[in-house]
């Protein structure tokens, strides 16, 4: 299922202009501006508390900006969400894994926006769910309780939900956290395939080694945008050290705070 939108190719998939967000006295985002073009994968980098999750929630329209403007495919966040144009893959700790719901049910949630008020699944909804399960290699686990899955399988279940939704823009919050290398490789392969179909992906990650492999561009965030460009430019040691206090070891860059 490929991404589709009626927007012009000249319209950014994600556009954030001067967004400032406060939680009481805490400044979470400070005049953040960035654009991501359709069909691109953008890595969102930063330490804990740098505002990555707040930026996701602001793009989704779940947290309003005190100042600034946000557009998804030229629409307001609320309009894009109602149209099913934007999908979200949350961090693992944001999900109640004990909730008694099957993998298939989680993926079907992506179809709710296509159903009527009674949320009765039609043939098209069931077909979209089966397609998404197949793409994420979860067909054999479709009737398993979501909490019984491994970390990597859980991540894929929420990617499957976004695929079933038909979202052109996907926001993935730490999709590689808590997964093994095999699951990580599977997720990277899937995200690359989605990009090839025209989807736009904003991917938050602490795994800097994956950024050049997966991403077309990267953003360094520390409540404001420190750098935005090609991964090779953003991940230069002097940029990382100046922005976040990062040193390198034999396995690559390491966050120090």
């Amino acid at each position: 299922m490929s991404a589709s939108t009626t927007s012009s190719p000249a319209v950014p998939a994600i556009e954030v202009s001067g967004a400032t967000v406060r939680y009481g006295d805490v400044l979470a985002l400070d005049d953040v501006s960035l654009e991501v073009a359709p069909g691109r994968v953008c890595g969102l980098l930063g330490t804990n508390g740098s505002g990555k999750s707040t930026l996701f929630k602001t793009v989704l329209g779940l947290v309003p900006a005190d100042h600034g403007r946000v557009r998804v495919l030229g629409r307001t966040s609320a309009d894009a969400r109602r149209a099913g144009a934007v999908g979200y893959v949350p961090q693992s700790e944001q999900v109640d894994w004990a909730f008694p719901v099957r993998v298939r049910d989680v993926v079907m949630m992506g179809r709710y926006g296509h159903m009527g008020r009674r949320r009765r699944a039609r043939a098209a909804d069931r077909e979209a769910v089966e397609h998404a399960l197949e793409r994420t290699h979860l067909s054999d686990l479709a009737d398993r309780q979501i909490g019984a899955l491994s970390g990597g399988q859980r991540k894929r279940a929420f990617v499957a939900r976004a695929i079933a939704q038909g979202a052109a823009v996907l926001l993935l919050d730490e999709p590689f956290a808590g997964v093994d290398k095999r699951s990580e490789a599977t997720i990277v392969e899937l995200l690359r395939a989605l990009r090839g179909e025209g989807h736009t992906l904003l991917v938050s990650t602490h795994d800097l080694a994956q950024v050049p492999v997966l991403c077309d561009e990267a953003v360094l965030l520390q409540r404001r945008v420190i750098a935005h460009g090609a991964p090779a430019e953003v991940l230069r040691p002097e940029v990382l050290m100046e922005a976040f206090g990062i040193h390198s070891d034999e396995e690559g860059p390491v966050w120090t705070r």
Side-chain angles (χ1 to χ4, degrees), residues 16-37:
V16 181
S17 303
T20 297
V21 175
R22 291 182 179 273
Y23 298 118
D25 294 332
V26 177
L27 180 63
L29 294 178
D30 182 11
D31 193 28
V32 169
S33 295
L34 63 92
E35 290 186 5
V36 182

Side-chain angles (χ1 to χ4, degrees), residues 169-185:
V169 176
L170 303 182
L171 310 182
L172 300 99
D173 201 351
E174 298 292 344
F176 307 117
V179 306
D180 57 34
K181 288 299 181 181
R182 182 176 180 181
S183 293
E184 184 176 294

Side-chain angles (χ1 to χ4, degrees), residues 31-248:
D31 193 28
V32 169
S33 295
L34 63 92
E35 290 186 5
V36 182
R40 303 275 289 179
V41 179
C42 179
L44 182 60
L45 315 177
T47 56
N48 292 333
S50 63
K52 301 189 301 298
S53 292
T54 296
L55 179 60
F56 276 163
K57 293 174 183 176
T58 303
V59 172
L60 288 164
L62 303 178
V63 172
D66 296 288
H67 302 286
R69 190 181 86 148
V70 177
R71 291 291 183 268
V72 179
L73 297 169
R75 307 171 178 178
T76 65
S77 298
D79 285 345
R81 207 168 63 248
R82 279 192 292 268
V86 57
Y88 178 50
V89 177
Q91 291 189 36
S92 294
E93 54 264 33
Q94 297 172 353
V95 179
D96 180 5
W97 299 113
F99 192 75
V101 62
R102 300 177 304 165
V103 174
R104 190 189 308 278
D105 299 326
V106 170
V107 180
M108 184 63 78
M109 290 174 187
R111 300 298 301 172
Y112 283 178
H114 301 271
M115 301 177 189
R117 291 184 178 179
R118 296 183 179 180
R119 290 183 175 173
R120 290 183 176 175
R122 297 166 296 180
D125 301 313
R126 289 188 288 270
E127 181 180 347
V129 168
E130 294 307 317
H131 170 78
L133 289 167
E134 182 178 352
R135 291 208 60 183
T136 52
H137 306 292
L138 291 173
S139 296
D140 292 343
L141 302 173
D143 293 317
R144 188 170 296 186
Q145 194 268 339
I146 187 69
L149 301 186
S150 69
Q153 290 165 343
R154 292 174 180 180
K155 296 286 186 181
R156 282 187 276 142
F158 280 89
V159 175
R161 183 182 69 173
I163 293 174
Q165 178 182 326
V169 176
L170 303 182
L171 310 182
L172 300 99
D173 201 351
E174 298 292 344
F176 307 117
V179 306
D180 57 34
K181 288 299 181 181
R182 182 176 180 181
S183 293
E184 184 176 294
T186 299
I187 293 171
V188 168
E189 181 182 1
L190 176 60
L191 298 185
R192 281 174 162 176
L194 291 172
R195 173 184 59 185
E197 295 165 9
H199 294 266
T200 304
L201 289 79
L202 183 62
V203 183
S204 162
T205 181
H206 282 89
D207 188 351
L208 302 187
Q210 279 293 358
V211 176
V213 176
L214 174 63
C215 301
D216 303 301
E217 58 193 85
V219 173
L220 272 176
L221 188 69
Q222 187 67 23
R223 294 187 298 278
R224 59 187 178 87
V225 174
I226 304 298
H228 183 188
E233 291 297 314
V234 174
L235 294 177
R236 286 184 298 152
E238 58 269 30
V239 175
L240 297 176
M241 290 185 69
E242 179 181 355
F244 300 119
I246 293 175
H247 69 273
S248 294

Side-chain angles (χ1 to χ4, degrees), residues 243-255:
F244 300 119
I246 293 175
H247 69 273
S248 294
D249 63 13
E250 293 181 356
E251 299 190 1
V254 177
W255 300 113

